Amino acid sequence: MKRSSFIYALFFLLLPLLSLSQIEAPVLLKSSEVLNKTRRDFVVITEAALASISLIALDQLWYQEYARSKFHTINDNQEWFQMDKMGHAFTAYQLGRFGAETLNWSGVSKKNQLLYGGTLGFGFLTAVEVLDGFSKEWGFSWGDIAANAAGTGLYIGQELLWNEQRVALKFSFHQTKYASQRPDKLGNGLLEEVLKDYNGQTYWLSINLHAFFKDSQIPKWFNIALGYGAEGMLTGVSGLDDSFMSNQDRMAQYYLSFDVNLKKIKTNSAFLKSVFSIFNSIKIPFPALEFNKERCVFHLFYN
């Protein structure tokens, strides 16, 4: 399993845990209008414990399988059509969003929500990157750090500029034929493939049109989505695929589709609001146009 994919696994495991504080009982679902120290302390202690346990688990269970080294850097910016960098940005954005939202539930000031919650993803992923730096197999990547910063900046920047998320970074996945050609690296079975097969991953900028045209009749939940993906990859860089007898062309893919902003769906249920917030990180399957170096393709149902 690739180390970057393990980050995605941690992210998806952390989402429900970071939201536990919001689904204990109906009365506790609502955000506090003033600072609630009990909630704040619970959120801070829980997130700190989860992050610490995750880093210790990574160090003892993952990096132990590889030789240690002196701290060193690598330049992996040309690998996997930057799909791994998209994954870093997505993880940093979503962890920052959930970190800020849990502090908002605690009644923490907006400034501190962004300072301590919005940077949760960047801080956690930077710690993982340092572990990479001491692993002979990997290495500290400034490209990964830049991607982490981009994801964090996308969240915090919009909160500072608009006090809302008009553009969300989302994820979708579909199974491909490439995993079966190299299951040790691209995954064996659906769960592993979701985490490891870059060919099936797509990352989206989901843009809420009503937020930009507030006087319009556009439904508040309606989004336009711009996607990025790639396929034909059995290895990180071009040329090495030939050793695996792949006749597929490596290519980047760009998508235009629709999406739903689940957080804009009206409901009086605090529980549903919490559920919508969690699943708003996933792009809703819709028809899509794909643009690549060879052709334009219409997908009736793309995920």
Side-chain angles (χ1 to χ4, degrees):
M1 186 178 181
K2 294 176 290 187
R3 190 274 309 158
S4 58
S5 297
F6 193 73
I7 288 177
Y8 306 155
L10 286 174
F11 165 68
F12 284 110
L13 289 173
L14 281 173
L15 284 187
L17 292 173
L18 288 175
S19 302
L20 281 178
S21 58
Q22 301 185 44
I23 57 178
E24 294 176 1
V27 69
L28 294 181
L29 290 166
K30 296 181 180 179
S31 298
S32 177
E33 296 182 359
V34 296
L35 177 62
N36 185 313
K37 293 184 179 180
T38 300
R39 292 187 180 188
R40 180 201 61 189
D41 293 345
F42 174 81
V43 168
V44 171
I45 293 172
T46 301
E47 291 182 355
L50 287 171
S52 299
I53 292 171
S54 298
L55 291 173
I56 293 172
L58 272 173
D59 184 58
Q60 297 298 317
L61 301 177
W62 177 251
Y63 291 99
Q64 287 288 356
E65 298 182 10
Y66 304 97
R68 305 283 180 159
S69 69
K70 293 183 178 180
F71 185 83
H72 64 286
T73 63
I74 59 171
N75 184 348
D76 60 352
N77 295 334
Q78 302 305 314
E79 296 185 7
W80 302 106
F81 274 100
Q82 295 79 48
M83 288 297 292
D84 57 327
K85 302 299 181 283
M86 294 297 297
H88 276 267
F90 168 77
T91 306
Y93 173 86
Q94 293 295 346
L95 281 178
R97 180 172 73 90
F98 277 88
E101 287 182 357
T102 52
L103 288 179
N104 177 63
W105 171 79
S106 307
V108 172
S109 68
K110 186 70 173 183
K111 175 183 177 181
N112 287 336
Q113 289 176 34
L114 299 181
L115 183 61
Y116 300 109
T119 59
L120 175 65
F122 182 82
F124 177 77
L125 295 177
T126 297
V128 175
E129 204 63 42
V130 171
L131 292 178
D132 272 0
F134 288 101
S135 174
K136 187 175 182 180
E137 179 74 12
W138 312 110
F140 184 96
S141 168
W142 285 108
D144 288 352
I145 293 295
N148 299 340
T152 299
L154 179 63
Y155 177 79
I156 294 179
Q158 291 186 87
E159 291 297 319
L160 293 174
L161 183 61
W162 298 312
N163 198 36
E164 63 179 347
Q165 295 297 296
R166 298 185 179 184
V167 181
L169 189 52
K170 297 190 177 186
F171 171 85
S172 69
F173 177 81
H174 60 274
Q175 286 187 288
T176 73
K177 60 184 178 183
Y178 303 103
S180 62
Q181 299 179 52
R182 204 181 181 199
D184 59 321
K185 291 296 183 181
L186 302 181
N188 184 10
L190 178 60
L191 180 58
E192 283 193 10
E193 292 170 29
V194 170
L195 304 176
K196 301 172 71 172
D197 186 3
Y198 290 129
N199 299 283
Q201 297 175 2
T202 308
Y203 294 95
W204 302 85
L205 287 176
S206 186
I207 305 166
N208 186 252
L209 295 182
H210 185 273
F212 289 97
F213 306 99
K214 293 186 179 295
D215 295 328
S216 70
Q217 298 300 313
I218 300 173
K220 293 183 178 180
W221 50 263
F222 179 75
N223 283 20
I224 292 292
L226 305 177
Y228 176 74
E231 70 171 23
M233 302 176 294
L234 296 180
T235 61
V237 295
S238 179
L240 296 181
D241 291 325
D242 296 337
S243 62
F244 295 94
M245 298 179 290
S246 171
N247 295 320
Q248 302 296 325
D249 289 332
R250 299 164 61 96
M251 67 176 70
Q253 301 160 308
Y254 305 89
Y255 298 92
L256 175 63
S257 184
F258 305 112
D259 190 29
V260 174
N261 186 341
L262 296 177
K263 296 187 68 175
K264 294 296 184 179
I265 295 178
K266 289 185 177 182
T267 176
N268 293 323
S269 169
F271 173 76
L272 285 179
K273 288 180 180 179
S274 296
V275 172
F276 288 159
S277 178
I278 293 172
F279 286 98
N280 205 45
S281 59
I282 300 173
K283 162 73 168 59
I284 303 298
F286 270 109
L289 282 175
E290 173 192 338
F291 304 91
N292 58 54
K293 67 179 182 180
E294 296 181 348
R295 61 192 185 280
C296 174
V297 183
F298 174 73
H299 298 272
L300 182 60
F301 186 78
Y302 185 87
N303 60 350

